[in-house]
Amino acid sequence: MIVTFKRTVLLTSFGLFTALLLVSSALAQGNIAKYPYLPSGYSSVKVFDRSGRFVGRILPEKRYWVSIDHIPAFLQKAVVAVEDARFFEHGGIDIRGIARALVKDVVKGKLVEGGSTITQQLIKNRYLSGEKTIERKLEEARMAMEYEKIYTKKQILEMYFNEIYYGNGAWGIAQAARVYFDKTPDQLTDAECALLAGVPKNPGRYNPLGKAVDVSRRRDVVLARMLDLKMISARQKQKLRTRPITTVQRSQAPYYLAHIRNELVERFGPQIIERGGLEVTAAMDLNLQKLAEKTLKEGVKRISPELQGALVSLDPATGDVLAAVGGVDFTKSPYDRAFLARRQPGSAIKPLIYAAALEMGITAGSVWDDTPVAYDRGYNQTWKPLNYGKERYGQLSLRRALAYSNNIIAVKLLDTIGVPYFVDFAHKAGLPLRPNNDLSLALGTEDVTLRDLVRAYTPLANGGLRSEPRTIVRIYDRNRRAWTENAPSVAPALSPAAAFVTTRMLRDVMVYGTAKSLKSFSQKRPSAGKTGTTDDYRDAWFIGYTPQVLTGIWVGYDKPRPGGRGFTGGAVAAPIWQRFMGPALASKPVADFPKPDTVVSVSIDPATGYLATPDCPEKRDEFYVEGTQPTEYCPKHGGDRLNQVPPVLSLPKEEAPQSE
């Protein structure tokens, strides 16, 4: 019953194939190309890092067809020699080859070798599966004989070269020549042709990027067969065996390259990749890129093999993206989580709210109460934000509220400055937000990309200037012999004074706040940063910076789900940030954030926010935007008698703020 069914399927398939041949016969004397013909003079888009080191190539996605006249004669001979020596004599099947294969099959006790001709291989690639059964081989043989009646040998050979698989995603000789040698087929040398002729036997093993011993051994088989058939001389064989062959370097930094590809298409249209001929200088530092890929992958997998992550690191002065990693494994998941994925930033958005408040005259030393407040949401509904862990601190200076990532005070602060004002402020800083947000925005409830969030921190690290992330520095068009420069884009976003004071506040985050595990790092290098954790532990962030490098980390699941208690920015993302930033800054001098002339420092009582008196039990030097510093002494500790004396401004202290 099964045999009858198989025969019926074969006859049906053969009938359909015969109908197809009747249509194809009309084209047999004309164009047989299934794809556009390969343009002449094509060369790939090459990408180099900021120091001129080769990063990789960006290749066209389209398949192209190459006519037999543009396929080297040596390659044609080599393929015929090793795959089907009687190709020009048989009518689609080779009886001698089949007999030889049957003997081997009997010896092995199974279908090992099929004695397939080039025509049969073409048929299998075009129409059939790779299943090794007698029925499939019979069908293949019948189709091959019909094919030989319709197409010439040159046409069959041309179709074969354009449809056979050469490994590493290269279908057809046009892609193979490009992938392995960055050439068009007619530019291939005889030695390169000998190498490619051996690939179809086992593309995964014998492609030019495979193990050298396997590739060279297969090449030797091709040359030996050509010698046996008197296609080459013994001297030619020896010469070709010893001639060195250089394949194209493997591409690196796949996520970064994919982003450059998207940027080129966005700026110049999709045809730019197909046209090729570009040399792109990226803003990337290849050493930092490799470090970022390794650090992110190891850090994320240490927590859970199912987690994903992203990293963006840039020079805050220019916006140059030194490293960008959109996931832990590009081959398994090429989706770019650094530039494209949108997730809730949690408390990582709070520094921008504080900076906006400083611009309005609110100070870091001002004291706020974190008693919960219920907000009317309309429709008889209220919203009562609570702190992470539902703890209460009571009276807190804004400095400490930011260090502890106090939710209640952040909401109250946003309520004070107004959501519309903050949305406009965030937009100037580089973080686009919806205008119809509510106070929950203070807790980072609107989805953002890691790239945009990192961009919004550049004014804090760069004296108030926003730097647009730049991945392409310049482009050289080899066809037109012309350069295109992509200058840095830097624009004012907030005052230098507000940027400096916010940064000084964020230093406390790494001393006694939510990222206190980075205290040792911050003591060695002046740095600032902020954690971010969504209230259901779905996303963990850390955005941190020194004057030279700004780096953001995101960790979470692609399909959002809670990571469990303890899945916080401080516990998950901050350690990855430290493991990257340590080596990234190793060759750079230790530098502090310069204090603008518009910032003053006075000694205050942090419990009250007033100028400190000799009787205040705790004192600290606090930074203020000039004109916003307190002018009255602490009334709780004898300030009334001192308020008649003008305050004395003190010089800023270089040491870190006092710990809690």
Side-chain angles (χ1 to χ4, degrees):
M1 185 71 172
I2 294 175
V3 173
T4 303
F5 174 73
K6 286 185 176 180
R7 285 176 179 170
T8 302
V9 171
L10 286 173
L11 289 172
T12 302
S13 298
F14 184 65
L16 291 173
F17 176 72
T18 302
L20 176 64
L21 288 180
L22 291 175
V23 176
S24 300
S25 63
L27 302 174
Q29 303 304 318
N31 183 12
I32 59 172
K34 289 179 63 178
Y35 310 102
Y37 280 103
L38 181 68
S40 60
Y42 171 84
S43 60
S44 62
V45 176
K46 297 182 177 66
V47 179
F48 303 86
D49 85 337
R50 61 194 299 113
S51 298
R53 291 170 290 198
F54 178 77
V55 176
R57 296 179 301 149
I58 299 175
L59 300 177
E61 295 180 344
K62 290 182 180 179
R63 285 182 64 177
Y64 290 97
W65 194 272
V66 182
S67 68
I68 196 69
D69 297 333
H70 288 86
I71 298 174
F74 189 92
L75 179 57
Q76 297 181 43
K77 293 178 181 178
V79 166
V80 168
V82 76
E83 293 291 339
D84 186 2
R86 299 185 63 251
F87 173 68
F88 290 102
E89 301 170 26
H90 63 64
I93 61 172
D94 184 0
I95 301 301
R96 297 181 191 175
I98 292 174
R100 183 175 62 252
L102 283 174
V103 171
K104 291 186 178 182
D105 291 344
V106 170
V107 171
K108 295 289 185 179
K110 59 180 180 179
L111 285 171
V112 176
E113 187 171 330
S116 294
T117 64
I118 284 176
T119 313
Q120 288 175 274
Q121 291 180 48
L122 174 61
I123 292 295
K124 183 179 70 174
N125 273 278
R126 273 199 163 189
Y127 306 109
L128 305 175
S129 69
E131 183 185 14
K132 290 185 177 181
T133 63
I134 294 295
E135 290 84 357
R136 203 272 294 162
K137 292 297 293 182
L138 289 172
E139 183 179 18
E140 177 187 291
R142 285 194 294 268
M143 290 181 175
M145 288 187 289
E146 290 296 328
Y147 232 63
E148 292 267 353
K149 295 176 182 177
I150 297 173
Y151 296 101
T152 67
K153 290 290 187 180
K154 287 186 66 175
Q155 288 176 319
I156 292 172
L157 202 55
E158 179 177 315
M159 288 186 280
Y160 174 88
F161 274 114
N162 282 284
E163 302 201 32
I164 205 71
Y165 185 57
Y166 284 89
N168 290 297
W171 286 93
I173 190 60
Q175 286 189 331
R178 179 192 303 138
V179 166
Y180 300 120
F181 304 109
D182 202 26
K183 294 181 176 181
T184 55
D186 55 4
Q187 295 172 329
L188 294 170
T189 66
D190 288 352
E192 292 165 347
C193 288
L195 214 62
L196 289 176
V199 175
K201 177 76 173 178
N202 189 331
R205 182 178 183 183
Y206 297 135
N207 76 78
L209 299 180
K211 290 176 61 175
V213 61
D214 291 336
V215 175
S216 59
R217 189 175 296 156
R218 179 61 180 167
R219 184 266 325 272
D220 290 347
V221 169
V222 173
L223 294 175
R225 187 64 178 141
M226 293 182 76
L227 178 62
D228 290 343
L229 296 173
K230 295 182 172 51
M231 292 179 176
I232 58 173
S233 65
R235 182 179 178 182
Q236 282 178 291
K237 174 189 172 185
Q238 185 58 27
K239 186 177 180 181
L240 290 171
R241 285 188 73 246
T242 57
R243 181 168 294 174
I245 297 178
T246 302
T247 55
V248 173
Q249 291 177 260
R250 289 180 181 268
S251 290
Q252 306 169 86
Y255 283 108
Y256 204 117
L257 280 183
H259 178 73
I260 288 181
R261 181 193 190 103
N262 292 339
E263 188 170 338
L264 290 173
V265 170
E266 184 178 334
R267 291 175 61 182
F268 304 110
Q271 71 281 355
I272 193 68
I273 306 300
E274 303 301 321
R275 195 190 76 188
L278 302 181
E279 292 182 6
V280 178
T281 300
M284 175 201 306
D285 181 316
L286 187 55
N287 291 337
L288 290 189
Q289 178 68 24
K290 292 178 179 178
L291 172 66
E293 292 173 0
K294 181 175 184 292
T295 305
L296 183 70
K297 183 173 185 177
E298 292 177 352
V300 170
K301 293 304 181 185
R302 187 179 287 116
I303 304 166
S304 168
E306 299 177 13
L307 274 173
Q308 273 294 348
L311 181 153
V312 172
S313 182
L314 53 77
D315 179 343
T318 62
D320 284 355
V321 178
L322 306 173
V325 189
V328 297
D329 191 333
F330 185 85
T331 57
K332 292 182 179 179
S333 178
Y335 180 63
D336 190 345
R337 300 158 187 84
F339 286 85
L340 302 178
R342 304 184 67 85
R343 304 295 285 257
Q344 290 187 358
S347 295
I349 200 174
K350 289 176 182 174
L352 302 179
I353 297 174
Y354 280 69
L358 292 173
E359 289 280 69
M360 291 189 74
I362 299 172
T363 67
S366 61
V367 178
W368 293 61
D369 185 4
D370 79 340
T371 300
V373 174
Y375 294 91
D376 183 11
R377 280 194 160 176
Y379 303 101
N380 295 321
Q381 293 183 341
T382 59
W383 175 59
K384 193 174 185 179
L386 300 173
N387 290 326
Y388 174 83
K390 299 182 180 179
E391 68 275 12
R392 289 273 306 280
Y393 292 95
Q395 300 285 319
L396 279 179
S397 68
L398 279 193
R399 172 180 289 277
R400 289 177 176 172
L402 181 56
Y404 295 141
S405 198
N406 191 288
N407 287 342
I408 296 171
I409 291 178
V411 174
K412 290 181 177 181
L413 190 60
L414 180 59
D415 189 30
T416 300
I417 66 175
V419 172
Y421 170 80
F422 174 66
V423 168
D424 182 63
F425 175 89
H427 180 76
K428 292 177 182 176
L431 187 66
L433 299 171
R434 291 179 290 107
N436 58 339
N437 264 291
D438 57 24
L439 290 176
S440 67
L441 183 60
L443 307 184
T445 54
E446 180 172 345
D447 293 346
V448 300
T449 66
L450 177 59
R451 188 273 305 271
D452 287 349
L453 189 58
V454 169
R455 175 175 57 188
Y457 272 65
T458 59
L460 304 179
N462 194 33
L465 299 175
R466 183 197 72 229
S467 302
E468 285 297 320
R470 180 173 70 153
T471 54
I472 296 176
V473 175
R474 66 183 62 89
I475 301 170
Y476 178 67
D477 189 327
R478 293 191 297 269
N479 298 319
R480 297 189 298 111
R481 298 184 182 180
W483 288 94
T484 300
E485 295 287 340
N486 187 26
S489 176
V490 181
L494 71 155
S495 69
F500 178 82
V501 176
T502 305
T503 292
R504 295 294 302 199
M505 295 168 74
L506 290 174
R507 290 180 68 165
D508 283 17
V509 173
M510 302 169 69
V511 175
Y512 62 84
T514 55
K516 60 186 177 183
S517 62
L518 303 179
K519 180 177 180 179
S520 176
F521 181 95
S522 68
Q523 289 175 333
K524 295 175 184 176
R525 283 188 176 271
S527 46
K530 185 68 185 75
T531 57
T533 308
T534 51
D535 59 2
D536 52 3
Y537 308 103
R538 292 173 185 263
D539 300 277
W541 306 74
F542 187 76
I543 316 295
Y545 55 95
T546 68
Q548 303 107 319
V549 180
L550 163 59
T551 300
I553 307 286
W554 168 83
V555 180
Y557 294 96
D558 275 340
K559 187 176 181 180
R561 61 185 173 92
R565 190 167 182 83
F567 189 81
T568 65
V572 172
I576 299 173
W577 182 90
Q578 182 176 6
R579 284 193 288 270
F580 171 77
M581 289 290 278
L585 293 165
S587 62
K588 298 182 183 295
V590 175
D592 204 348
F593 300 95
K595 184 180 79 67
D597 294 337
T598 50
V599 170
V600 297
S601 175
V602 298
S603 179
I604 67 167
D605 181 339
T608 64
Y610 286 91
L611 295 172
T613 70
D615 297 332
C616 287
E618 183 183 1
K619 305 178 185 69
R620 66 156 295 132
D621 288 331
E622 184 58 87
F623 292 96
Y624 295 88
V625 177
E626 188 175 30
T628 66
Q629 68 271 20
T631 57
E632 296 183 1
Y633 287 95
C634 176
K636 284 189 177 182
H637 304 100
D640 290 341
R641 66 179 182 274
L642 298 174
N643 282 331
Q644 304 302 317
V645 182
V648 178
L649 300 184
S650 64
L651 294 175
K653 301 292 185 181
E654 292 301 321
E655 64 268 16
Q658 293 180 4
S659 134
E660 291 292 307

